[in-house]
Amino acid sequence: MRACGQPAQPSRGTWQHGCVTAATRSTLFPQVPDSADAVLEGLDPEQREVATALHGPVCVLAGAGTGKTRAITHRIAYGVRAGILHPSSVLAVTFTNRAAGEMRGRLRQLGAAGVQARTFHSAALRQLQYFWPKAIGGSMPRLVDRKVQLVADAAAACRIRLDRGELRDVTAEIEWSKVTQTVPADYAPAAAKAGRETPRAPAEIAQLYAAYEDVKRERAVIDFEDVLLLTVAVLQDRHDIADQVRAQYQHFVVDEYQDVSPLQQRLLDLWLGDRDSLCVVGDASQTIYSFTGATPDHLLDFRTRHPGATVVKLVRDYRSTPQVVHLANGLLAQAKGRAADHRLELVSQRAAGPEPVYSEYTDEPAEAEGAARRIRELIDSGVPAAEIAILFRTNAQSETYEQALADAAVPYQLRGAERFFDRPEVRKAGIALRGAARFGGNDSLLDDAVDLPSQVRAVLSGEGWTTQPPAGSGAVRERWESLAALVNLAQDFSAAQPGATLADLVAELDERANAQHAPTVQGVTLASLHSAKGLEWDVVFLVGVAEGMMPITYAKTDEQIEEERRLLYVGVTRARERLHVSWALSRSPGGRPSRRPSRFLDGLRPGSTAATGRTAAGGAGGIERGIPGTRGSTPRRVQRTPARCRVCGRTLTDAGEMKLMRCDGCPSDMNEGLYERLREWRADQARRSGQPAFCVFTDRTLMAIAETAPDDEHELARIPGVGMRKLNRYGTDVLAICAGQLAGGDTDQD
């Protein structure tokens, strides 16, 4: 019998490619697992490791589309269902209400409904409201939703004139200062150290920042950053309150850990105290909010801070086809900086799909019309509008595409608009459905309704729903789309639960409203790349991918350029099956065609030349165990000998040269015949596994093998780029080829 809390033996047939639906997509109303072990079914080996690693610090490095939310929600649910974690003792935190709502919804479906899943701000606000009378006394100040008016009043008090753009930018600087715990007097040196391009002179912004704080005090209000700052202050100063919070929450899970700010990390440290029951999940290659104070350093330094941590890397991409994954990996292959050094090389688990489509247009209106025309064709061929998205760099690009879609009679929705359950028509529909559930027996509208879907259609017909959508776009069409989403939800709910009543559906809608788990609205999504984070579609149109827009004009430093690259990477990895990338040579019709495609596409789009420079080495998936008995201690530094060229003795710093252990300019003693045999073998492996050849071994690694000609596994393992996973998978074949023998049987087993 297996001990409680130990992983069950994996059932290989349940997770391997071809035997399970993509890990990031699930049925709308799945059955609640009947046991703790049932929670683990369908997880791949790395996800299962996450789910069963319930003690000590755990760091999950999860590439795009690898099922990170699935892994961590199953981890929580498994702990709860196995009796190891008490639901009320778990706090899961993330960065958006939508992500927190999705997490609550998934936990509910897994039978772990009592777990708290909140944003950092929501969790802190709840604690602050509860402890305010005890810690400070009196009523808590009013929380303001928007700072802009207060900043404007502060500017007026300082006799500084700000236009609308400067007002927005100064507000952003104040927010950055607060999340990095920078006071007004320290703003100027802190901004200079961070390399920020300030919208006004740093001294002026410091003056405005101080005046803004004065305005808040005079009006007895606080902002969202104050919620975190005040909660930190209370937990630091009142040990009794800190102890009470720690007694309540004993296990913490942090999603999107690469986006944690210094202030959020400080709050997390105070929540934890001297304990280490922490699981963090993130991907440094998806760090796209550094301008707000987010930093991947906490993720990248996790093993240093917690040397006893278990590190699990998720690289099996269940979302995207090999063609999309190949482009995503290629984008990061030329990346620079610390995040690039820790990038994950994704391996698609899906069947092959179409190659990405690259399109060049004379001007932006022509680009928008071209996208709308292709979308119209896709919808006519049967692709649901809700499975298509247009992603752009700035919100200002949206209007051109709205007009083009309207002209093509394509329904659309704007990402970032009003939340679904807050829409007036949805609130009214909820009231109508609730009334029908209570008094439906006296409603003549329901006389001919024979099942739940027909009852919902009958009720919502009184609110404006019709069998056919209204013509055109605009507010009328948007209201109809909201009601149609409720009708579709009722059909899915009835199919999943044949005996469900109208009252059951109303209860489901209430649960979804509390979790902000909105149904799908039928319309093409228009969204900025930043707001698309965490979402996915079957078809994605990445538009405006030209120099000056991607990277954006004001991205000057290497760090800013790399963040723009990561932003495009996020956009690419939103696509499941089809990806369209386009750019325009000029902004308006008749304009000078002076633009060129983004430098990030060099070497990736047909007909372009790869950029020169080093190639970042991608990280493979797997599990790294912590150092036993090192909790809370400082890890011992290992003195590394500098890598030197084995020909001329020069110190090597380039990753590609270090892989070869020689300078690029030094003569090679490579066995050309062996190199060609290795290339032929690699091509065969790539065909069998349906993945790009470099996912087997990169050219540099093959060259290093051909130059070294290793005799045994020990020598092969010492070659950079091999690693234990690839040694176990391909070692026998490679050593046989090096020995002049034929490679063995199929090694494509994982």
Side-chain angles (χ1 to χ4, degrees):
M1 179 177 289
R2 182 174 55 84
C4 182
Q6 294 300 310
Q9 290 298 313
S11 174
R12 294 178 63 87
T14 63
W15 63 265
Q16 285 180 310
H17 175 50
C19 302
V20 69
T21 305
T24 54
R25 302 180 73 183
S26 59
T27 56
L28 191 59
F29 298 100
Q31 296 295 315
V32 174
D34 58 9
S35 66
D37 285 349
V39 171
L40 302 177
E41 292 178 2
L43 300 182
D44 68 31
E46 291 80 25
Q47 292 172 342
R48 181 180 287 260
E49 180 68 24
V50 175
T52 54
L54 296 172
H55 302 289
V58 177
C59 178
V60 184
L61 302 177
T66 57
K68 69 176 179 66
T69 305
R70 176 182 176 88
I72 59 175
T73 51
H74 281 68
R75 178 185 192 269
I76 296 169
Y78 176 71
V80 169
R81 300 291 297 275
I84 300 169
L85 305 178
H86 192 279
S88 63
S89 72
V90 181
L91 178 60
V93 288
T94 186
F95 285 82
T96 67
N97 288 318
R98 183 198 60 78
E102 179 185 0
M103 196 177 291
R104 287 193 295 270
R106 291 200 190 195
L107 289 169
R108 180 166 61 94
Q109 292 167 352
L110 291 170
V115 174
Q116 291 292 315
R118 297 181 173 275
T119 65
F120 270 100
H121 284 88
S122 172
L125 179 60
R126 195 175 188 216
Q127 293 174 19
L128 192 62
Q129 289 171 329
Y130 182 81
F131 290 111
W132 188 277
K134 179 179 179 180
I136 300 169
S139 300
M140 188 174 134
R142 180 174 62 87
L143 178 63
V144 293
D145 291 332
R146 299 177 71 248
K147 303 180 182 68
V148 172
Q149 186 56 54
L150 293 178
V151 175
D153 294 343
C158 296
R159 300 184 183 276
I160 297 175
R161 294 178 62 86
L162 300 176
D163 61 30
R164 181 178 299 180
E166 288 176 321
L167 197 59
R168 182 192 63 233
D169 292 342
V170 169
T171 300
E173 287 303 298
I174 291 174
E175 290 175 346
W176 173 81
S177 301
K178 300 186 79 164
V179 300
T180 56
Q181 303 177 80
T182 302
V183 298
D186 296 337
Y187 170 78
K193 183 179 179 181
R196 295 184 73 82
E197 291 192 12
T198 58
R200 299 289 289 250
E204 275 191 324
I205 295 179
Q207 182 184 2
L208 289 167
Y209 180 11
Y212 168 78
E213 294 297 319
D214 290 339
V215 169
K216 283 196 298 141
R217 278 191 293 271
E218 291 169 3
R219 300 180 186 180
V221 297
I222 59 175
D223 59 29
F224 277 101
E225 288 70 40
D226 290 330
V227 170
L228 299 183
L229 285 164
L230 289 167
T231 306
V232 164
V234 168
L235 296 178
Q236 282 181 160
D237 296 343
R238 293 291 300 268
H239 298 292
D240 56 330
I241 292 177
D243 289 342
Q244 192 172 342
V245 171
R246 291 167 192 157
Q248 171 68 53
Y249 296 118
Q250 297 162 25
H251 308 278
F252 297 86
V253 176
V254 185
D255 194 11
E256 304 288 4
Y257 194 56
Q258 77 278 354
D259 291 331
V260 166
S261 70
L263 179 56
Q264 289 165 333
Q265 180 62 47
R266 180 64 186 136
L267 178 59
L268 179 61
D269 290 340
L270 288 167
W271 282 339
L272 271 169
D274 60 357
R275 301 166 298 175
D276 63 2
S277 187
L278 171 66
C279 175
V280 301
V281 190
D283 178 11
S285 296
Q286 297 187 69
T287 305
I288 58 174
Y289 294 106
S290 64
F291 61 92
T292 67
T295 170
D297 289 345
H298 304 298
L299 175 67
L300 299 178
D301 292 338
F302 191 84
R303 192 66 175 272
T304 302
R305 297 182 60 181
H306 303 278
T310 296
V311 178
V312 184
K313 297 179 181 179
L314 305 182
V315 297
R316 304 175 200 263
D317 188 319
Y318 297 94
R319 176 187 299 158
S320 304
T321 63
Q323 287 73 18
V324 173
V325 167
H326 176 61
L327 176 57
N329 285 337
L331 275 173
L332 295 184
Q334 293 294 329
K336 302 174 183 177
R338 194 176 181 213
D341 292 338
H342 293 79
R343 76 179 180 91
L344 299 168
E345 194 167 278
L346 301 176
V347 182
S348 175
Q349 305 297 297
R350 296 194 58 180
E355 291 290 340
V357 176
Y358 299 90
S359 302
E360 182 174 277
Y361 295 91
T362 56
D363 52 63
E364 288 184 2
E367 184 181 6
E369 291 168 8
R373 183 170 56 253
R374 290 184 182 227
I375 290 171
R376 180 74 268 170
E377 293 169 355
L378 286 168
I379 293 174
D380 291 342
S381 70
V383 179
E387 291 297 347
I388 304 173
I390 298 176
L391 307 182
F392 33 75
R393 177 61 180 86
T394 68
N395 288 318
Q397 296 169 267
S398 173
E399 185 177 357
T400 303
Y401 289 89
E402 291 180 55
Q403 185 61 55
L405 291 175
D407 291 343
V410 173
Y412 65 87
Q413 57 174 329
L414 289 173
R415 180 72 195 163
E418 193 173 26
R419 293 192 299 186
F420 181 82
F421 287 104
D422 291 339
R423 298 176 186 175
E425 66 271 18
V426 174
R427 290 202 301 266
K428 285 185 62 180
I431 293 171
L433 290 170
R434 187 171 285 103
R438 291 179 180 175
F439 312 111
N442 300 321
D443 192 338
S444 59
L445 272 176
L446 302 181
D447 288 347
D448 298 326
V450 296
D451 56 14
L452 178 58
S454 60
Q455 289 176 333
V456 172
R457 289 194 293 269
V459 172
L460 296 188
S461 64
E463 301 299 322
W465 178 83
T466 56
T467 55
Q468 295 298 320
S473 59
V476 173
R477 178 61 182 250
E478 289 177 4
R479 286 194 294 271
W480 184 90
E481 294 285 1
S482 297
L483 298 177
L486 293 174
V487 170
N488 292 334
L489 181 69
Q491 293 170 342
D492 291 334
F493 187 66
S494 179
Q497 301 184 28
T501 65
L502 201 52
D504 294 330
L505 177 64
V506 169
E508 174 67 21
L509 289 175
D510 288 342
E511 290 275 6
R512 283 173 165 258
N514 291 333
Q516 283 300 325
H517 184 187
T520 301
V521 176
Q522 289 301 318
V524 172
T525 300
L526 290 172
S528 70
L529 287 165
H530 281 100
S531 65
K533 178 77 169 63
L535 303 174
E536 59 187 79
W537 297 268
D538 284 345
V539 186
V540 167
F541 287 76
L542 286 174
V543 299
V545 188
E547 286 292 307
M549 192 61 74
M550 181 58 68
I552 199 77
T553 306
Y554 52 76
K556 304 292 187 184
T557 67
D558 289 345
E559 292 80 6
Q560 291 168 340
I561 295 294
E562 288 307 313
E563 182 142 336
E564 292 289 298
R565 188 195 306 274
R566 294 193 296 269
L567 189 56
L568 183 58
Y569 170 81
V570 166
V572 167
T573 55
R574 301 308 96 195
R576 298 189 191 110
E577 297 171 6
R578 303 186 191 190
L579 181 64
H580 295 256
V581 183
S582 64
W583 58 91
L585 298 178
S586 67
R587 180 174 182 180
S588 55
R592 187 165 62 90
S594 58
R595 293 180 175 176
R596 62 173 295 268
S598 169
R599 72 190 75 171
F600 300 144
L601 300 178
D602 290 348
L604 300 173
R605 62 183 176 85
S608 64
T609 304
T612 58
R614 75 183 184 96
T615 298
I623 302 156
E624 299 173 12
R625 304 293 180 186
I627 305 169
T630 54
R631 173 184 168 189
S633 65
T634 302
R636 179 173 58 88
R637 289 189 177 273
V638 179
Q639 297 296 324
R640 297 187 180 275
T641 303
R644 297 187 184 278
C645 174
R646 54 190 167 85
V647 179
C648 69
R650 182 179 69 86
T651 300
L652 302 176
T653 57
D654 180 85
E657 292 181 343
M658 292 171 69
K659 186 168 287 188
L660 294 176
M661 291 305 294
R662 64 170 175 82
C663 305
D664 277 335
C666 286
S668 169
D669 54 356
M670 181 176 69
N671 183 326
E672 295 287 347
L674 174 57
Y675 180 65
E676 288 304 318
R677 291 196 299 276
L678 287 168
R679 282 175 58 87
E680 291 172 3
W681 167 83
R682 182 182 67 172
D684 182 61
Q685 288 296 319
R687 280 194 300 272
R688 295 187 188 193
S689 61
Q691 62 185 2
F694 68 78
C695 290
V696 180
F697 285 119
T698 64
D699 286 345
R700 290 272 189 175
T701 301
L702 286 190
M703 291 174 66
I705 294 172
E707 290 185 357
T708 308
D711 293 324
D712 54 37
E713 287 190 352
H714 179 69
E715 290 184 12
L716 179 59
R718 293 177 60 185
I719 296 175
V722 176
M724 288 305 299
R725 184 178 71 90
K726 292 189 177 182
L727 181 67
N728 293 334
R729 188 173 184 179
Y730 303 124
T732 302
D733 273 12
V734 171
L735 290 172
I737 295 170
C738 290
Q741 304 168 4
L742 292 175
D746 182 6
T747 62
D748 190 24
Q749 303 291 324
D750 210 8

